[in-house]
Amino acid sequence: MGTVVDDAASAEFHAFFERHYAELSRLAHLLTGEPDAADDLAADALLALWQRWDRMRDADHPAAYARGVVANLARTRIRSTVRERRRIALFWPQREERTENPDVPGVVDVQEALRRLPFRKRACVVLRHAFDLSEKDTALALGVSVGTVKSQTSKAMAELQRLLGTQEVPRQVHAAAASARGGGAGTVRERAGGATGRDR
């Protein structure tokens, strides 16, 4: 039977879970471009947070920590996927597909354009313009300086404007976040939300 402190910690974590799970799932979707992986990455991030909840519950920015974990997990997944595709290509070479002009406005949608950005630029744009975080909060989530966030975001926005052929990139990125899959909290309760004080 859990103590009063354990029960309070569990209740606090469940409230945090309900408040942030869908957001973290959308973030994972936009960072990886893989809707099917979004739920798992969000759950893994929340599980990592739960395992440190004794320390994180009193921290100033537990949500920033969770976003940072999602970003790190997304980066690792992307690298793993790239390595896997390279190994497959060694044994199953395919004819290269060419397009005369892949950057024609209207051909590349927002999520595809985001996937073409280097990871740090993509993360800065998503956190700043899809999730409306301040430069300071974005820097905190990614573990970089505010100056890095400013420069990476500026360069990324310029690239997106070129790829999408529009100056309305912030609005389009925000709309992409709204349409990105944010799985229901019930899908991962057994992994992250079902913990109790004595499970830690």
Side-chain angles (χ1 to χ4, degrees), residues 3-75:
T3 66
V4 173
V5 174
D6 287 340
D7 289 344
S10 180
E12 289 174 3
F13 177 78
H14 276 83
F16 182 93
F17 179 95
E18 295 291 346
R19 189 163 59 250
H20 292 284
Y21 172 72
E23 169 201 339
L24 295 173
S25 183
R26 288 194 299 272
L27 175 60
H29 181 181
L30 289 173
L31 291 179
T32 63
E34 299 178 35
D36 293 339
D39 289 343
D40 287 341
L41 293 183
D44 288 345
L46 285 163
L47 181 60
L49 188 68
W50 170 249
Q51 292 169 344
R52 297 167 176 78
W53 192 244
D54 283 340
R55 297 190 300 271
M56 297 304 301
R57 62 188 296 205
D58 296 323
D60 293 334
H61 305 287
Y65 175 84
R67 294 181 192 113
V69 174
V70 169
N72 287 332
L73 291 172
R75 183 186 294 111

Side-chain angles (χ1 to χ4, degrees), residues 54-181:
D54 283 340
R55 297 190 300 271
M56 297 304 301
R57 62 188 296 205
D58 296 323
D60 293 334
H61 305 287
Y65 175 84
R67 294 181 192 113
V69 174
V70 169
N72 287 332
L73 291 172
R75 183 186 294 111
T76 299
R77 182 177 181 84
I78 290 168
R79 289 173 177 170
S80 176
T81 300
V82 168
R83 287 195 297 269
E84 182 178 351
R85 287 173 179 170
R86 286 173 178 169
R87 287 195 296 269
I88 292 173
L90 289 175
F91 297 98
W92 190 10
Q94 296 180 344
R95 184 176 58 189
E96 181 180 0
E97 295 183 3
R98 299 176 180 272
T99 55
E100 294 185 4
N101 185 1
D103 297 337
V104 173
V107 173
V108 184
D109 69 17
V110 175
Q111 291 186 12
E112 288 173 345
L114 284 171
R115 283 196 291 271
R116 297 178 65 173
L117 296 178
F119 183 83
R120 182 173 289 181
K121 290 180 180 178
R122 185 191 318 166
C124 285
V125 167
V126 167
L127 289 171
R128 289 283 289 119
H129 295 289
F131 292 89
D132 297 322
L133 295 190
S134 67
E135 292 171 342
K136 180 180 178 181
D137 287 344
T138 299
L140 187 63
L142 297 178
V144 299
S145 69
V146 171
T148 297
V149 170
K150 289 181 179 179
S151 64
Q152 293 290 294
T153 304
S154 176
K155 292 174 182 177
M157 294 300 286
E159 290 184 36
L160 288 173
Q161 287 173 358
R162 179 179 61 81
L163 289 169
L164 297 168
T166 178
Q167 300 295 315
E168 297 293 322
V169 171
R171 181 183 59 77
Q172 291 188 339
V173 171
H174 199 280
S179 64
R181 174 183 173 184

